[in-house]
Structures are given as structure tokens and as C-alpha cells.
């Protein structure tokens, strides 16, 4: 495929939902991948007055790397650190009411993400096949768990803030 076809396929597949691939970085990524030998330019095509487009194919090294990345992702069970956990360790300059406003706003944003995700799943339902369903469910459960954690934090906030240190210095 050429870059525009790859971009279109990524949009159709909603790649941005599962990765950090940005459309504006596609051509730079294609160039880097070609330099690394995981894809190769197989030909150039031109239709009418349109610019010439380079057609790329996965190399055998690229196919092997793709399999390695897939297998690594399937085996990896590490939980990633959430920056909010570090931020909560450093809130001594915030009062309970101010922190509550921040946490409520976070919860509201997460609830909106869940609603959006469920609407997208509903829209995509006729096209979801095989294991794709589980990826939607995985994200749904992760968002629901985040909401439950935020609810618990908000419920316990008065007690937690009462036991909070009053300065960053320790003796």
C-alpha cells in the first residue's frame, strides 16, 4: 500500500483507539521503517495529475518483528504506572475541597470516555468479528474500574486528607 492507503486503512480500523499512531507522523514513520528494513518500497504509481505514490510492502524482517511485538504484547502483564498516583502523593498544597473538584472533574471526563466508548461499540457492533469484541470489552472494564476507584477515592477523601502531612519536609 502507499501512505494514503495505509492512513485510510488506519482510519477505517480506528487504529487511534488502540495506539498512539498519529496521521501526521505516518510518512516520517514509513521513512524510518524503510531505513530500518522492516518495509521496502516496491514500486511507484501515479494516477492522472496526482503526485507519484510509493507502494510499500512488509519485508520478511518486518513480518518477524511484527510477530515479536505481538507476542511480547500478549505476554506482557505489567501494570503501567498512572501519573495520577504520583500526583496524589504531592497534594499537600491543596485543600480537600480543591482536590475534590479536581477528582470530580477527572471522574466526569472518564465517564464521558466510557459513554463515548460504549456508543462507538454500539456503532461498530455489526462489524465486530472474533476477538475484536474482547478488545472493546477490555477497554470498557478498564474505564469502569477507573470510575469505581475515583468513587472510592471521593468517598474516602475526608479521612485521607485528615491524615495527610502538612508540609513536604521530613525530619
Amino acid at each position: 500500500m502507499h501512505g494514503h492507503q495505509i492512513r485510510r486503512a488506519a482510519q477505517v480500523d480506528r487504529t487511534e483507539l488502540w495506539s498512539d499512531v498519529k496521521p501526521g507522523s505516518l510518512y516520517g514513520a514509513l521513512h524510518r521503517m524503510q531505513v530500518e528494513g522492516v518495509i521496502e518500497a516496491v514500486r511507484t504509481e501515479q494516477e492522472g495529475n496526482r503526485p507519484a505514490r510509493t507502494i510499500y510492502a512488509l519485508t520478511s524482517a518486518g513480518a518477524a518483528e511484527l510477530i515479536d511485538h505481538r507476542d511480547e504484547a500478549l505476554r506482557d502483564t505489567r501494570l503501567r504506572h498512572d501519573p495520577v498516583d504520583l500526583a496524589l502523593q504531592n497534594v499537600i498544597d491543596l485543600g480537600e475541597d480543591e482536590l475534590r473538584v479536581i477528582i470530580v472533574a477527572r471522574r466526569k471526563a472518564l465517564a464521558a470516555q466510557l459513554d463515548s466508548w460504549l456508543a462507538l461499540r454500539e456503532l461498530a457492533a455489526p462489524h465486530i468479528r472474533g476477538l475484536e469484541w474482547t478488545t472493546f470489552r477490555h477497554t470498557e472494564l478498564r474505564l469502569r474500574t477507573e470510575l469505581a476507584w475515583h468513587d472510592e477515592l471521593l468517598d474516602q477523601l475526608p479521612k485521607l486528607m485528615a491524615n495527610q502531612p502538612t508540609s513536604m519536609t521530613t525530619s
Side-chain angles (χ1 to χ4, degrees), residues 89-106:
Q89 301 304 310
N90 295 286
V91 296
I92 59 176
D93 61 323
L94 297 177
E96 180 185 331
D97 291 341
E98 191 175 3
L99 182 56
R100 181 173 296 280
V101 166
I102 293 167
I103 300 302
V104 166
R106 282 180 53 85

Side-chain angles (χ1 to χ4, degrees), residues 41-76:
V42 292
R43 68 181 178 278
T44 301
E45 292 180 353
Q46 186 170 7
E47 294 178 19
N49 294 349
R50 294 182 178 197
R53 293 178 168 169
T54 302
I55 307 300
Y56 296 97
L58 197 59
T59 64
S60 58
E65 187 171 326
L66 179 62
I67 289 169
D68 287 346
H69 284 298
R70 180 208 56 208
D71 291 350
E72 180 183 341
L74 287 170
R75 287 189 304 270
D76 186 5

Side-chain angles (χ1 to χ4, degrees), residues 23-39:
S25 63
L26 176 65
Y27 292 98
L30 288 172
H31 177 71
R32 284 189 304 280
M33 291 168 65
Q34 188 175 10
V35 169
E36 293 169 5
V38 295
I39 63 170

Side-chain angles (χ1 to χ4, degrees), residues 15-156:
T15 301
E16 78 280 1
L17 298 174
W18 292 279
S19 73
D20 290 330
V21 174
K22 305 287 186 256
S25 63
L26 176 65
Y27 292 98
L30 288 172
H31 177 71
R32 284 189 304 280
M33 291 168 65
Q34 188 175 10
V35 169
E36 293 169 5
V38 295
I39 63 170
E40 62 185 347
V42 292
R43 68 181 178 278
T44 301
E45 292 180 353
Q46 186 170 7
E47 294 178 19
N49 294 349
R50 294 182 178 197
R53 293 178 168 169
T54 302
I55 307 300
Y56 296 97
L58 197 59
T59 64
S60 58
E65 187 171 326
L66 179 62
I67 289 169
D68 287 346
H69 284 298
R70 180 208 56 208
D71 291 350
E72 180 183 341
L74 287 170
R75 287 189 304 270
D76 186 5
T77 59
R78 291 174 293 149
L79 290 177
R80 304 297 185 266
H81 297 286
D82 188 333
V84 75
D85 295 330
L86 177 59
L88 285 171
Q89 301 304 310
N90 295 286
V91 296
I92 59 176
D93 61 323
L94 297 177
E96 180 185 331
D97 291 341
E98 191 175 3
L99 182 56
R100 181 173 296 280
V101 166
I102 293 167
I103 300 302
V104 166
R106 282 180 53 85
R107 192 204 180 285
K108 183 177 180 182
L110 287 164
Q113 285 181 45
L114 177 58
D115 290 344
S116 176
W117 189 253
L118 294 174
L120 177 62
R121 183 184 68 189
E122 186 71 26
L123 184 66
H127 311 287
I128 296 174
R129 302 286 180 262
L131 290 173
E132 291 174 338
W133 186 259
T134 64
T135 61
F136 273 95
R137 181 71 173 143
H138 188 211
T139 299
E140 175 192 351
L141 291 174
R142 290 172 69 194
L143 287 166
R144 288 188 188 284
T145 300
E146 278 294 317
L147 289 169
W149 178 82
H150 280 71
D151 290 340
E152 184 178 298
L153 175 59
L154 289 166
D155 185 52
Q156 296 178 7

